[in-house]
Amino acid sequence: MKLKRTAIDFDIDSHSYTLDGRELRGYTTTIGAWMYPHTYDNVPEETLRRAAERGTAIHQGVALAYQFGQLEGNPVTEVQQAIDLLKGKGLAPQEFEWLVTDGENFASACDIVTDDGSIVDIKCTSELHVPEVTLQLSVYARWLEMGNEGLRVPALYCLWLPREQYGKPRLVEITRIGGEVVGQLTLAYLNGEDSEEWRKALEPKLPAETRDIITAIAEMERQAKELTERKDKLKEALTLAFEMYGVRKYEDENITISYREGATQQRVDSARLKKDYPDVYKSVTKAVPTKACVMMRLKDKK
């Protein structure tokens, strides 16, 4: 597939875009910041700077690997992970840092455009912010199509490459926001409108078929709670019986039960350790990856 190159001039030092002498604005500092202004509010500037440097290095590493055809045994773990994920999905990068524009106000660079016109964005953040990347890629898809008559971007992907303690690398397919909606949203930004209603409108929603799954799990959770409460009461009664009759162990064909006297346990006050001895706390703690999951809290039936 042959893409039409835009006439945009990009200055890497000032990170600025110009088209026919007019300065255009990038997506991140305009539409992106307008829609999601608080995504990184609690992240220190130094952390953001280091993350940006790491992301740039990985971007460049992936581009160089494809440019020179070195797709095996890359010494940079994240670069090889990216290559493996792309190959596993059958995606063949054709262009890197491909410039797209609406031709009037904005311009930005797509991390990867594949040979079938799909767009892949590389993220190296500790958390994958799906709404943010969904809007970003949907905007880029619209701009890419605007500059290439007849092109329909077939798919959007986010290649997430977090540090090990934050999760496993993933290639996530993104559900595109329609071009008409993107156009209306862009106009709202240019008109200085409040973005709150747009955030609500674009808030991710579960498909209808998941309702039955949620209902079934909720009922299981309710039953499990009731059984646990009943079991705890029965165990209390059984403990009293063991103590009253001086029994220390019971065993039959179904179960073995041992009596354990109450005792005082010694535990480390981790909050105080972290506060009073931060160096010691840091030296004895380690990052442990955890699987993604959903947290559920039952509501009391009225």
Side-chain angles (χ1 to χ4, degrees):
M1 182 193 65
K2 182 71 173 178
L3 292 175
K4 182 180 178 182
R5 193 174 296 277
T6 68
I8 299 172
D9 290 321
F10 175 63
D11 186 290
I12 193 170
D13 293 325
S14 62
H15 204 85
S16 61
Y17 306 88
T18 55
L19 178 63
D20 299 329
R22 292 184 296 111
E23 184 173 350
L24 305 181
R25 293 169 289 174
Y27 167 87
T28 303
T29 57
T30 55
I31 299 173
W34 171 70
M35 270 292 288
Y36 301 105
H38 304 300
T39 301
Y40 299 108
D41 276 1
N42 297 322
V43 183
E45 285 294 329
E46 179 61 20
T47 300
L48 290 174
R49 185 188 64 78
R50 290 200 304 268
E53 290 177 351
R54 176 173 175 267
T56 298
I58 293 172
H59 287 207
Q60 293 173 345
V62 173
L64 288 171
Y66 276 95
Q67 180 180 344
F68 292 102
Q70 298 175 347
L71 305 183
E72 300 291 342
N74 196 288
V76 180
T77 300
E78 294 91 342
V79 172
Q80 190 60 55
Q81 289 171 337
I83 294 170
D84 291 343
L85 287 168
L86 290 168
K87 288 168 62 179
K89 191 66 176 179
L91 297 174
Q94 177 176 306
E95 303 290 350
F96 292 87
E97 298 299 321
W98 187 259
L99 296 174
V100 293
T101 179
D102 69 340
E104 296 181 9
N105 300 288
F106 307 101
S108 283
C110 300
D111 289 344
I112 299 173
V113 180
T114 66
D115 60 355
D116 70 347
S118 295
I119 302 175
V120 182
D121 191 70
I122 299 176
K123 297 295 186 190
C124 302
T125 51
S126 59
E127 180 182 350
L128 178 56
H129 302 283
V130 175
E132 286 87 331
V133 75
T134 297
L135 178 59
Q136 177 188 351
L137 285 174
S138 298
V139 170
Y140 288 4
R142 176 176 168 84
W143 293 350
L144 182 62
E145 291 171 351
M146 290 172 69
N148 293 268
E149 187 176 354
L151 171 65
R152 174 63 182 174
V153 174
L156 305 175
Y157 298 93
C158 179
L159 184 52
W160 186 48
L161 302 168
R163 293 188 184 277
E164 184 178 1
Q165 64 264 37
Y166 298 123
K168 293 182 179 180
R170 287 188 288 152
L171 182 64
V172 181
E173 187 163 1
I174 299 298
T175 301
R176 180 176 175 177
I177 300 168
E180 184 177 346
V181 174
V182 169
Q184 293 170 351
L185 182 147
T186 302
L187 186 60
Y189 166 78
L190 291 171
N191 290 336
E193 297 178 18
D194 191 333
S195 61
E196 178 63 26
E197 290 303 316
W198 280 102
R199 275 194 298 279
K200 291 179 181 178
L202 297 181
E203 192 173 83
K205 298 177 179 62
L206 290 171
E209 55 267 27
T210 59
R211 178 65 183 176
D212 290 341
I213 297 174
I214 293 171
T215 300
I217 293 176
E219 183 56 31
M220 292 176 188
E221 288 284 333
R222 199 173 303 280
Q223 292 177 11
K225 181 181 178 183
E226 292 173 355
L227 287 171
T228 298
E229 291 174 351
R230 182 183 173 195
K231 183 185 72 172
D232 289 343
K233 290 180 179 179
L234 291 173
K235 285 180 68 176
E236 288 179 9
L238 189 59
T239 299
L240 290 174
F242 267 63
E243 292 174 344
M244 183 179 298
Y245 295 101
V247 177
R248 290 295 179 265
K249 186 174 182 180
Y250 171 85
E251 186 171 357
D252 63 20
E253 66 275 12
N254 296 314
I255 193 170
T256 298
I257 305 174
S258 299
Y259 174 80
R260 185 179 65 184
E261 293 183 353
T264 300
Q265 295 182 335
Q266 299 295 323
R267 296 182 179 179
V268 175
D269 186 339
S270 58
R272 182 179 175 186
L273 178 64
K274 183 178 182 179
K275 179 182 177 181
D276 295 346
Y277 306 98
D279 293 338
V280 174
Y281 178 84
K282 186 176 181 180
S283 69
V284 298
T285 55
K286 64 178 181 179
V288 179
T290 59
K291 291 184 179 180
C293 65
V294 292
M295 306 296 290
M296 304 188 74
R297 180 177 62 84
L298 287 176
K299 295 181 179 179
D300 294 332
K301 287 187 175 181
K302 296 181 180 180

